[in-house]
Amino acid sequence: MKFRSFTLSILVLFGISVDNSVSAQEKLVWTEVGNGVWKVSVGKPENYNLLSASGVKPEIAALQKMQKTELVSAKAGIFANIQDGKTYLRFPLQKGEQIYGFGLNFQTIHQRGRILRLHTDHYGNTDNGRTHAPVPFFVSSNGYGIFINSARYLDVYAGSAVRKDSKNPPKIQDRNTDKNWSARPYSDAVEILIPANGVEFYVFSGPGPLEVVRRFNLFNGGGCLPPRWGLGFTQRVERLYNAEQVKNEAQAFADQHFPLDFIGLEPGWQSKSYPCTFEWDNTRFPNPALLVKELGQMGVRLNLWTNPYVSPEASIYPKIAPFTGSHSVWVGAVPDLLKPEARDILFSKFKKDHIDIGISGYKIDEVDGGDSYLWPDVATFPSGISAEQMRQTYGVLMQKYSTELFHQKNSRTYGLIRASNAGGVSFPYVIYNDNYSHQDFITGLINSGFSGVLWTPEVRASKTSEEWLRRMQTVCFSPMAMINAWASATKPWSFPDVADKVKEVALLRMQMMPYWYSEFAKYHFEGTPPFRAMNLETGFFIENKTEKTNSNLEENPYEEAVSKEIKDQYMAGEYLLVAPFFTGQTSRKVVLPKGKWFDFYTGKFAGDGEVITVGSNLGNIPVYVKDGGIIPMMPPLLHAPKAGEKVDLEIRYYGQKNAKYQLYDDDGESYNYEKGEYSWREVTVEKQADGKYFGKISAPAAGKPNTIGKVSWSFMTKDN
Amino acid sequence: MKFRSFTLSILVLFGISVDNSVSAQEKLVWTEVGNGVWKVSVGKPENYNLLSASGVKPEIAALQKMQKTELVSAKAGIFANIQDGKTYLRFPLQKGEQIYGFGLNFQTIHQRGRILRLHTDHYGNTDNGRTHAPVPFFVSSNGYGIFINSARYLDVYAGSAVRKDSKNPPKIQDRNTDKNWSARPYSDAVEILIPANGVEFYVFSGPGPLEVVRRFNLFNGGGCLPPRWGLGFTQRVERLYNAEQVKNEAQAFADQHFPLDFIGLEPGWQSKSYPCTFEWDNTRFPNPALLVKELGQMGVRLNLWTNPYVSPEASIYPKIAPFTGSHSVWVGAVPDLLKPEARDILFSKFKKDHIDIGISGYKIDEVDGGDSYLWPDVATFPSGISAEQMRQTYGVLMQKYSTELFHQKNSRTYGLIRASNAGGVSFPYVIYNDNYSHQDFITGLINSGFSGVLWTPEVRASKTSEEWLRRMQTVCFSPMAMINAWASATKPWSFPDVADKVKEVALLRMQMMPYWYSEFAKYHFEGTPPFRAMNLETGFFIENKTEKTNSNLEENPYEEAVSKEIKDQYMAGEYLLVAPFFTGQTSRKVVLPKGKWFDFYTGKFAGDGEVITVGSNLGNIPVYVKDGGIIPMMPPLLHAPKAGEKVDLEIRYYGQKNAKYQLYDDDGESYNYEKGEYSWREVTVEKQADGKYFGKISAPAAGKPNTIGKVSWSFMTKDN
């Protein structure tokens, strides 16, 4: 304000009139649309946006169960106006405040100070906003979140820019004399440009960042609940495999006693691909229905690769052509999924040729980018939706309408998708890509939890046995345990010297299914991401330090400092902290939040609010359990339990605290849970007068599915 | 058309109505605005554009002297409409047609098939449209050029996208069976999206691509004519050097008998930098006027680094603050150069503190990017011009208004700039950056010629003597022979084992000044870029071949092929082909266009329309002269001749053809050439009846400057 009055006096002094190019502050229209969720409307928002594309309904009742909060303090400083035909939003930042999110980033957790253009695309080795899920949502360490409900490419200055009228201005430094001069002065706001004459945004309250994310997820329809088999092991076969080879692959897994729940077919199942016919190649697959049936008898489901681009040689082409975009992708027509006719024609084909014969799901490829492959931004669509908006939402639309097919059959699906966005959280799809940096995969997994998406750090190939094992371990602690052997035909046992350890962790994945399944149920009913950042964990707050590591002015002319953030460990479910090893590491540091943590394998105390160093000599992936951790496990089955199949439970308990755990149960395959056909069983562990621990589990609810057989207890922490 | 009627019949059949989201073709309003130059207006073009920013006047008279051409055939297929609030332009491409340009690219010459977002920025190791000069102009091998006169960020699909209604559709391929399947099907158009409700574009005719470029340059005011001294050698000193050290630096060059025409001071000359005061630091520079005078007595001028961001501690801050943007850069205010008040305040300071005491020019830094440093796209300016438009034109505005100061003094300048754009061709500035790939520097030099900008492959540091020599050689065959020692304090003789070779090429640079100066005069009067691509040379046409080099599907999932284009040799002036060596090369290939070429050093025949291999053993930079090449040279002076100083001329002749050359002459320092104070002297060489060659030069024009002393002749090709 000092500056303004100063300016004014100068103006008076010189008698100069100054243009005011900035339109006045736009009116912000606030509406509470759910417990702790406010919709704010600016100008004339566009009708087509991320939420309308997904069509999901907020889980108002679930939100209602959360802590009641007041309107966030952030409200006061929010500024909006319309300038140059675009909507400008500004959200104030406090000193020390951290912000996370802005979609599926692969190299950074902390977003404060970064500049992003949110744009659906293949991740290209830089976190610049181009990613598979450029979700315009950020979470603050101060306990609020902001979601911009726009399907446009958004320019985000996430606390990078400095306004002359800032009330918290950075100090002026002289580079000639000040050794601490920084090329990045302090910024006190997130600023966003939306290329539209108005926008809706949403503010989510906490109190903590985890509650913010939960509210965001519940408002977006709640997380997906995969079928139990979706959490089992999956193998994608080489792209030109035929039916016999696919059966052999399933048999090989059985012979090796290696878990397997579904096999994925790659382009060769289609009569033509790139562009696609969506029709079976009858030389390689003379009887697909029979194949599905035979695999089913082996306990293995079938998933199909496809992209949505319709070959002019496909039987549906003449019908769908009028409802496709102006530009083709690999000469295939792009269905305008906002035209009901296009959806009917495309998805009727999916239903008849695939789903009716028992296909369990899809891998939907190439709905992200890159620019060289996808329709250009100059393309037009019959529905009138712009190419840009179509790009931002195509992945969500494909998820939505393909999921509907399975819903109609009352049979859950779990598939793979290359692109998603806000509104996609309830669709049972996991994002994957072509990059293959193990480190980036883990950072991606961490970031997925901020943005309402799932991500698989898939395994494809490996230069060494060590790498193979390390990658397999992380994939077993992720939303989908997948080997993607489309190009390499690699098997889990392809590296003999680590084959036993690989099988061990794959079986551990199966044993942990009751835990994973319950955690996904919490994603669905409570909005808690099953895989998420440490930064969402109470007791974990680390200053985002930077360090000047390169003082060579020719290499680093602006003396940029490098962030030293923690981006290689994450939370898996309510209790587990996973800290994977990467190839070549013989030891690593693990940051344990405040509170006691215990080794998952031994139950031994590991630390409390400290940084520990762990050696890789035992070969396991380091996993730590929060004090009071209850991990329900089942026997190491090779396939997920079928609907109605009872399995015995081993309930592990770690630490010293009295504890409670909610164990979820339903049929594991159908959508009957939507009609209340599920139960939560409460597991409690309490310290008795004699110092010993005692566990109990509540009785099965009458008339609800009950898949639990005998229950046994393991009190893992011996040195209580 | 086939598809359309087919669609129609389907619609009739099903009785479905299809939305037409694409607005109809916009009317194109054509106006011939110069010989072979047409302006085309679509919708409602914005008032602020690249040409209005630069304010330059087309050289209509010079255009008139060029060959008269018909309206280009390209006209027929141009399509435009307004969609989603943006202007869409489409320009047809023919089979085999090549396109070049789209600004200062550093890795690619051929632009067909590429996708760019033209956006002023530091070059970030990828040719994606973000560059120091993202000029929206392309040249076709078919002999026309298109320039989009917009100061917006433009999305360009340069023959990458495929329309369903294409009349030249790519063939459908099946990736399952076709080994030649390509992820990049044939595209028959350049498509451009301009975020505005209309635009002006310009069409330039040839007949050849060089004439297209010449027309573009002349329409943009003609190329700049540097002072003679600007083509001499320049050294930038360490950033905190004081006056004494600067004088010592000049003395060291004199002692070493190394050419030197101007020294550049880096940030330390200012009392404060980043942000700037534009005021001398009186501890390091107690008497700047005296320093300029003393250096002048040594034949050395002084150039000043600055960026335009005004420190709140600068004396001009209170006055300029009201006329600056909403956001600061390194806490410095950003002058709104479209406000006359801002210009007056800033440039009056430049005039009084710098130019009036004899400063010869500026190095204007950080007007390009990156996003983290510059004002964000959300910034606003008092003039009402958007942040985006300001970003696209700031470099041009700084050039324009700083040049005006020198023009007022009738004293030419030659400086450095980090950003330019269309409209900037007449401003005497050379672009530089922080990248340091020698290969990319050469490709940048090649591309500069397509876009009306100059580029220096400056030398800063070196890991080896070999690298130092190789870099020095290319800098001597470029628009500005500069060592940029701001961070390293390296001297030309810092690598003793190549010091002689380095001095040799630096002196060669000086000897060639009459040639360089005449070639720049042709840039000014005829629009011919002094440094340019082989692709602009008659007799050079190479199919842009691609090759599949990586068949590993995990590393290259879309089986992308790699371009094998020629991007390491270029034309320097009318006659010279320069083919630099890079560190580590012991030999290299040189593509000689059709026609005879001769070795620059020996005069020997080198080849004719063929690929030759040249060894690096002689240590020289390979240079070839076109048949009939006339190269005027002067003695190896250490400083450029002063105004009125006569120098002797050695005229070299190469090859066998009878030849003519236009030698330019003026005072070399003032703008008097604008009032006709210049002359062209015609040099002719003809074969006589006795088989010997005879050269003559026309008499000096009466009443015009004449700087030529004695003339001698060297007939370099002995085996005629």
Side-chain angles (χ1 to χ4, degrees), chain B residues 10-33:
Chain B
I10 289 286
L11 297 184
V12 172
L13 210 67
F14 288 79
I16 294 162
S17 81
V18 175
D19 298 351
N20 186 357
S21 64
V22 186
S23 61
Q25 156 110 33
E26 283 286 322
K27 194 180 165 199
L28 302 179
V29 183
W30 289 72
T31 319
E32 185 160 10
V33 291

PDB file of all heavy atoms in Angstrom, chain B residues 10-33:
ATOM      1  N   ILE B  10     -24.550 -40.486 -45.161  1.00  0.00           N
ATOM      2  CA  ILE B  10     -24.788 -41.126 -43.864  1.00  0.00           C
ATOM      3  C   ILE B  10     -25.797 -40.295 -43.067  1.00  0.00           C
ATOM      4  O   ILE B  10     -26.747 -40.816 -42.485  1.00  0.00           O
ATOM      5  CB  ILE B  10     -23.463 -41.206 -43.059  1.00  0.00           C
ATOM      6  CG1 ILE B  10     -22.535 -42.224 -43.675  1.00  0.00           C
ATOM      7  CG2 ILE B  10     -23.727 -41.544 -41.599  1.00  0.00           C
ATOM      8  CD1 ILE B  10     -22.909 -43.655 -43.441  1.00  0.00           C
ATOM      9  N   LEU B  11     -25.621 -39.009 -43.122  1.00  0.00           N
ATOM     10  CA  LEU B  11     -26.505 -38.142 -42.348  1.00  0.00           C
ATOM     11  C   LEU B  11     -27.933 -38.277 -42.846  1.00  0.00           C
ATOM     12  O   LEU B  11     -28.869 -38.362 -42.055  1.00  0.00           O
ATOM     13  CB  LEU B  11     -26.052 -36.685 -42.487  1.00  0.00           C
ATOM     14  CG  LEU B  11     -24.664 -36.379 -41.950  1.00  0.00           C
ATOM     15  CD1 LEU B  11     -24.379 -34.898 -42.058  1.00  0.00           C
ATOM     16  CD2 LEU B  11     -24.568 -36.837 -40.505  1.00  0.00           C
ATOM     17  N   VAL B  12     -28.062 -38.300 -44.147  1.00  0.00           N
ATOM     18  CA  VAL B  12     -29.396 -38.432 -44.736  1.00  0.00           C
ATOM     19  C   VAL B  12     -29.997 -39.769 -44.310  1.00  0.00           C
ATOM     20  O   VAL B  12     -31.134 -39.859 -43.852  1.00  0.00           O
ATOM     21  CB  VAL B  12     -29.309 -38.336 -46.286  1.00  0.00           C
ATOM     22  CG1 VAL B  12     -30.647 -38.670 -46.910  1.00  0.00           C
ATOM     23  CG2 VAL B  12     -28.855 -36.928 -46.676  1.00  0.00           C
ATOM     24  N   LEU B  13     -29.168 -40.772 -44.381  1.00  0.00           N
ATOM     25  CA  LEU B  13     -29.586 -42.137 -44.048  1.00  0.00           C
ATOM     26  C   LEU B  13     -30.113 -42.233 -42.618  1.00  0.00           C
ATOM     27  O   LEU B  13     -31.147 -42.829 -42.344  1.00  0.00           O
ATOM     28  CB  LEU B  13     -28.363 -43.041 -44.203  1.00  0.00           C
ATOM     29  CG  LEU B  13     -28.603 -44.494 -44.597  1.00  0.00           C
ATOM     30  CD1 LEU B  13     -29.154 -44.535 -46.017  1.00  0.00           C
ATOM     31  CD2 LEU B  13     -27.285 -45.256 -44.549  1.00  0.00           C
ATOM     32  N   PHE B  14     -29.373 -41.627 -41.682  1.00  0.00           N
ATOM     33  CA  PHE B  14     -29.743 -41.776 -40.279  1.00  0.00           C
ATOM     34  C   PHE B  14     -30.618 -40.623 -39.779  1.00  0.00           C
ATOM     35  O   PHE B  14     -31.083 -40.645 -38.656  1.00  0.00           O
ATOM     36  CB  PHE B  14     -28.484 -41.858 -39.401  1.00  0.00           C
ATOM     37  CG  PHE B  14     -27.744 -43.147 -39.542  1.00  0.00           C
ATOM     38  CD1 PHE B  14     -26.912 -43.378 -40.632  1.00  0.00           C
ATOM     39  CD2 PHE B  14     -27.899 -44.156 -38.596  1.00  0.00           C
ATOM     40  CE1 PHE B  14     -26.235 -44.575 -40.759  1.00  0.00           C
ATOM     41  CE2 PHE B  14     -27.203 -45.352 -38.730  1.00  0.00           C
ATOM     42  CZ  PHE B  14     -26.369 -45.569 -39.814  1.00  0.00           C
ATOM     43  N   GLY B  15     -30.748 -39.625 -40.619  1.00  0.00           N
ATOM     44  CA  GLY B  15     -31.560 -38.468 -40.221  1.00  0.00           C
ATOM     45  C   GLY B  15     -30.965 -37.720 -39.042  1.00  0.00           C
ATOM     46  O   GLY B  15     -31.651 -37.140 -38.220  1.00  0.00           O
ATOM     47  N   ILE B  16     -29.623 -37.756 -38.951  1.00  0.00           N
ATOM     48  CA  ILE B  16     -28.957 -37.111 -37.810  1.00  0.00           C
ATOM     49  C   ILE B  16     -28.480 -35.719 -38.211  1.00  0.00           C
ATOM     50  O   ILE B  16     -27.984 -35.517 -39.317  1.00  0.00           O
ATOM     51  CB  ILE B  16     -27.729 -37.958 -37.383  1.00  0.00           C
ATOM     52  CG1 ILE B  16     -28.209 -39.303 -36.849  1.00  0.00           C
ATOM     53  CG2 ILE B  16     -26.887 -37.227 -36.357  1.00  0.00           C
ATOM     54  CD1 ILE B  16     -27.119 -40.340 -36.809  1.00  0.00           C
ATOM     55  N   SER B  17     -28.608 -34.792 -37.306  1.00  0.00           N
ATOM     56  CA  SER B  17     -28.036 -33.474 -37.594  1.00  0.00           C
ATOM     57  C   SER B  17     -26.701 -33.357 -36.873  1.00  0.00           C
ATOM     58  O   SER B  17     -26.576 -33.743 -35.720  1.00  0.00           O
ATOM     59  CB  SER B  17     -28.983 -32.361 -37.139  1.00  0.00           C
ATOM     60  OG  SER B  17     -28.838 -32.155 -35.764  1.00  0.00           O
ATOM     61  N   VAL B  18     -25.736 -32.881 -37.565  1.00  0.00           N
ATOM     62  CA  VAL B  18     -24.394 -32.749 -36.986  1.00  0.00           C
ATOM     63  C   VAL B  18     -24.100 -31.272 -36.734  1.00  0.00           C
ATOM     64  O   VAL B  18     -24.326 -30.440 -37.606  1.00  0.00           O
ATOM     65  CB  VAL B  18     -23.345 -33.341 -37.948  1.00  0.00           C
ATOM     66  CG1 VAL B  18     -21.946 -33.111 -37.424  1.00  0.00           C
ATOM     67  CG2 VAL B  18     -23.612 -34.823 -38.137  1.00  0.00           C
ATOM     68  N   ASP B  19     -23.611 -30.972 -35.559  1.00  0.00           N
ATOM     69  CA  ASP B  19     -23.209 -29.596 -35.271  1.00  0.00           C
ATOM     70  C   ASP B  19     -22.092 -29.198 -36.215  1.00  0.00           C
ATOM     71  O   ASP B  19     -21.238 -30.022 -36.532  1.00  0.00           O
ATOM     72  CB  ASP B  19     -22.635 -29.473 -33.846  1.00  0.00           C
ATOM     73  CG  ASP B  19     -23.649 -29.819 -32.796  1.00  0.00           C
ATOM     74  OD1 ASP B  19     -24.849 -29.993 -33.132  1.00  0.00           O
ATOM     75  OD2 ASP B  19     -23.250 -29.927 -31.635  1.00  0.00           O
ATOM     76  N   ASN B  20     -22.074 -27.986 -36.586  1.00  0.00           N
ATOM     77  CA  ASN B  20     -20.922 -27.504 -37.325  1.00  0.00           C
ATOM     78  C   ASN B  20     -20.171 -26.522 -36.436  1.00  0.00           C
ATOM     79  O   ASN B  20     -20.495 -25.353 -36.348  1.00  0.00           O
ATOM     80  CB  ASN B  20     -21.362 -26.829 -38.621  1.00  0.00           C
ATOM     81  CG  ASN B  20     -20.153 -26.464 -39.455  1.00  0.00           C
ATOM     82  OD1 ASN B  20     -19.025 -26.676 -39.030  1.00  0.00           O
ATOM     83  ND2 ASN B  20     -20.390 -25.911 -40.623  1.00  0.00           N
ATOM     84  N   SER B  21     -19.164 -27.058 -35.733  1.00  0.00           N
ATOM     85  CA  SER B  21     -18.475 -26.229 -34.755  1.00  0.00           C
ATOM     86  C   SER B  21     -17.473 -25.320 -35.444  1.00  0.00           C
ATOM     87  O   SER B  21     -16.984 -24.376 -34.872  1.00  0.00           O
ATOM     88  CB  SER B  21     -17.743 -27.113 -33.761  1.00  0.00           C
ATOM     89  OG  SER B  21     -16.755 -27.841 -34.445  1.00  0.00           O
ATOM     90  N   VAL B  22     -17.132 -25.643 -36.676  1.00  0.00           N
ATOM     91  CA  VAL B  22     -16.146 -24.841 -37.376  1.00  0.00           C
ATOM     92  C   VAL B  22     -16.862 -23.702 -38.079  1.00  0.00           C
ATOM     93  O   VAL B  22     -17.759 -23.931 -38.885  1.00  0.00           O
ATOM     94  CB  VAL B  22     -15.413 -25.697 -38.419  1.00  0.00           C
ATOM     95  CG1 VAL B  22     -14.291 -24.898 -39.056  1.00  0.00           C
ATOM     96  CG2 VAL B  22     -14.896 -26.959 -37.787  1.00  0.00           C
ATOM     97  N   SER B  23     -16.462 -22.503 -37.769  1.00  0.00           N
ATOM     98  CA  SER B  23     -17.079 -21.378 -38.459  1.00  0.00           C
ATOM     99  C   SER B  23     -16.630 -21.422 -39.907  1.00  0.00           C
ATOM    100  O   SER B  23     -15.637 -22.053 -40.258  1.00  0.00           O
ATOM    101  CB  SER B  23     -16.669 -20.071 -37.796  1.00  0.00           C
ATOM    102  OG  SER B  23     -15.278 -19.912 -37.873  1.00  0.00           O
ATOM    103  N   ALA B  24     -17.370 -20.746 -40.739  1.00  0.00           N
ATOM    104  CA  ALA B  24     -17.069 -20.773 -42.169  1.00  0.00           C
ATOM    105  C   ALA B  24     -15.723 -20.124 -42.429  1.00  0.00           C
ATOM    106  O   ALA B  24     -15.175 -19.437 -41.581  1.00  0.00           O
ATOM    107  CB  ALA B  24     -18.170 -20.024 -42.912  1.00  0.00           C
ATOM    108  N   GLN B  25     -15.217 -20.376 -43.637  1.00  0.00           N
ATOM    109  CA  GLN B  25     -13.970 -19.716 -44.059  1.00  0.00           C
ATOM    110  C   GLN B  25     -14.125 -18.211 -43.916  1.00  0.00           C
ATOM    111  O   GLN B  25     -15.099 -17.625 -44.372  1.00  0.00           O
ATOM    112  CB  GLN B  25     -13.704 -20.098 -45.524  1.00  0.00           C
ATOM    113  CG  GLN B  25     -12.830 -19.115 -46.286  1.00  0.00           C
ATOM    114  CD  GLN B  25     -11.454 -19.653 -46.612  1.00  0.00           C
ATOM    115  OE1 GLN B  25     -11.288 -20.834 -46.836  1.00  0.00           O
ATOM    116  NE2 GLN B  25     -10.452 -18.800 -46.620  1.00  0.00           N
ATOM    117  N   GLU B  26     -13.151 -17.596 -43.274  1.00  0.00           N
ATOM    118  CA  GLU B  26     -13.154 -16.137 -43.169  1.00  0.00           C
ATOM    119  C   GLU B  26     -12.719 -15.545 -44.495  1.00  0.00           C
ATOM    120  O   GLU B  26     -11.915 -16.129 -45.222  1.00  0.00           O
ATOM    121  CB  GLU B  26     -12.142 -15.684 -42.092  1.00  0.00           C
ATOM    122  CG  GLU B  26     -12.604 -15.861 -40.675  1.00  0.00           C
ATOM    123  CD  GLU B  26     -13.660 -14.849 -40.256  1.00  0.00           C
ATOM    124  OE1 GLU B  26     -13.555 -13.677 -40.655  1.00  0.00           O
ATOM    125  OE2 GLU B  26     -14.588 -15.251 -39.525  1.00  0.00           O
ATOM    126  N   LYS B  27     -13.202 -14.368 -44.733  1.00  0.00           N
ATOM    127  CA  LYS B  27     -12.795 -13.663 -45.936  1.00  0.00           C
ATOM    128  C   LYS B  27     -11.325 -13.239 -45.800  1.00  0.00           C
ATOM    129  O   LYS B  27     -10.912 -12.750 -44.747  1.00  0.00           O
ATOM    130  CB  LYS B  27     -13.660 -12.418 -46.095  1.00  0.00           C
ATOM    131  CG  LYS B  27     -13.570 -11.792 -47.465  1.00  0.00           C
ATOM    132  CD  LYS B  27     -14.447 -10.555 -47.568  1.00  0.00           C
ATOM    133  CE  LYS B  27     -14.046  -9.757 -48.794  1.00  0.00           C
ATOM    134  NZ  LYS B  27     -14.531  -8.372 -48.714  1.00  0.00           N
ATOM    135  N   LEU B  28     -10.551 -13.481 -46.843  1.00  0.00           N
ATOM    136  CA  LEU B  28      -9.158 -13.033 -46.851  1.00  0.00           C
ATOM    137  C   LEU B  28      -9.075 -11.782 -47.708  1.00  0.00           C
ATOM    138  O   LEU B  28      -9.439 -11.802 -48.881  1.00  0.00           O
ATOM    139  CB  LEU B  28      -8.253 -14.116 -47.452  1.00  0.00           C
ATOM    140  CG  LEU B  28      -8.261 -15.488 -46.759  1.00  0.00           C
ATOM    141  CD1 LEU B  28      -7.337 -16.454 -47.484  1.00  0.00           C
ATOM    142  CD2 LEU B  28      -7.827 -15.342 -45.305  1.00  0.00           C
ATOM    143  N   VAL B  29      -8.598 -10.713 -47.120  1.00  0.00           N
ATOM    144  CA  VAL B  29      -8.494  -9.457 -47.859  1.00  0.00           C
ATOM    145  C   VAL B  29      -7.038  -9.255 -48.267  1.00  0.00           C
ATOM    146  O   VAL B  29      -6.169  -9.041 -47.416  1.00  0.00           O
ATOM    147  CB  VAL B  29      -8.981  -8.269 -46.998  1.00  0.00           C
ATOM    148  CG1 VAL B  29      -8.927  -6.977 -47.813  1.00  0.00           C
ATOM    149  CG2 VAL B  29     -10.386  -8.539 -46.493  1.00  0.00           C
ATOM    150  N   TRP B  30      -6.782  -9.370 -49.557  1.00  0.00           N
ATOM    151  CA  TRP B  30      -5.415  -9.296 -50.078  1.00  0.00           C
ATOM    152  C   TRP B  30      -5.091  -7.889 -50.559  1.00  0.00           C
ATOM    153  O   TRP B  30      -5.860  -7.274 -51.280  1.00  0.00           O
ATOM    154  CB  TRP B  30      -5.249 -10.254 -51.259  1.00  0.00           C
ATOM    155  CG  TRP B  30      -5.259 -11.704 -50.868  1.00  0.00           C
ATOM    156  CD1 TRP B  30      -6.336 -12.437 -50.462  1.00  0.00           C
ATOM    157  CD2 TRP B  30      -4.138 -12.584 -50.852  1.00  0.00           C
ATOM    158  NE1 TRP B  30      -5.954 -13.734 -50.186  1.00  0.00           N
ATOM    159  CE2 TRP B  30      -4.606 -13.855 -50.425  1.00  0.00           C
ATOM    160  CE3 TRP B  30      -2.775 -12.431 -51.144  1.00  0.00           C
ATOM    161  CZ2 TRP B  30      -3.762 -14.948 -50.294  1.00  0.00           C
ATOM    162  CZ3 TRP B  30      -1.944 -13.545 -51.020  1.00  0.00           C
ATOM    163  CH2 TRP B  30      -2.442 -14.782 -50.593  1.00  0.00           C
ATOM    164  N   THR B  31      -3.902  -7.417 -50.196  1.00  0.00           N
ATOM    165  CA  THR B  31      -3.421  -6.124 -50.689  1.00  0.00           C
ATOM    166  C   THR B  31      -1.944  -6.271 -51.030  1.00  0.00           C
ATOM    167  O   THR B  31      -1.163  -6.755 -50.194  1.00  0.00           O
ATOM    168  CB  THR B  31      -3.513  -5.051 -49.571  1.00  0.00           C
ATOM    169  OG1 THR B  31      -4.737  -5.210 -48.864  1.00  0.00           O
ATOM    170  CG2 THR B  31      -3.403  -3.651 -50.150  1.00  0.00           C
ATOM    171  N   GLU B  32      -1.549  -5.866 -52.219  1.00  0.00           N
ATOM    172  CA  GLU B  32      -0.109  -5.886 -52.534  1.00  0.00           C
ATOM    173  C   GLU B  32       0.494  -4.641 -51.898  1.00  0.00           C
ATOM    174  O   GLU B  32       0.088  -3.522 -52.179  1.00  0.00           O
ATOM    175  CB  GLU B  32       0.153  -5.905 -54.038  1.00  0.00           C
ATOM    176  CG  GLU B  32       1.659  -6.056 -54.320  1.00  0.00           C
ATOM    177  CD  GLU B  32       1.984  -6.556 -55.722  1.00  0.00           C
ATOM    178  OE1 GLU B  32       1.073  -6.621 -56.553  1.00  0.00           O
ATOM    179  OE2 GLU B  32       3.162  -6.891 -55.960  1.00  0.00           O
ATOM    180  N   VAL B  33       1.454  -4.851 -50.989  1.00  0.00           N
ATOM    181  CA  VAL B  33       2.003  -3.734 -50.218  1.00  0.00           C
ATOM    182  C   VAL B  33       3.438  -3.431 -50.585  1.00  0.00           C
ATOM    183  O   VAL B  33       4.078  -2.560 -49.996  1.00  0.00           O
ATOM    184  CB  VAL B  33       1.908  -4.010 -48.695  1.00  0.00           C
ATOM    185  CG1 VAL B  33       0.456  -3.991 -48.242  1.00  0.00           C
ATOM    186  CG2 VAL B  33       2.571  -5.337 -48.345  1.00  0.00           C
TER     187      VAL B  33
END
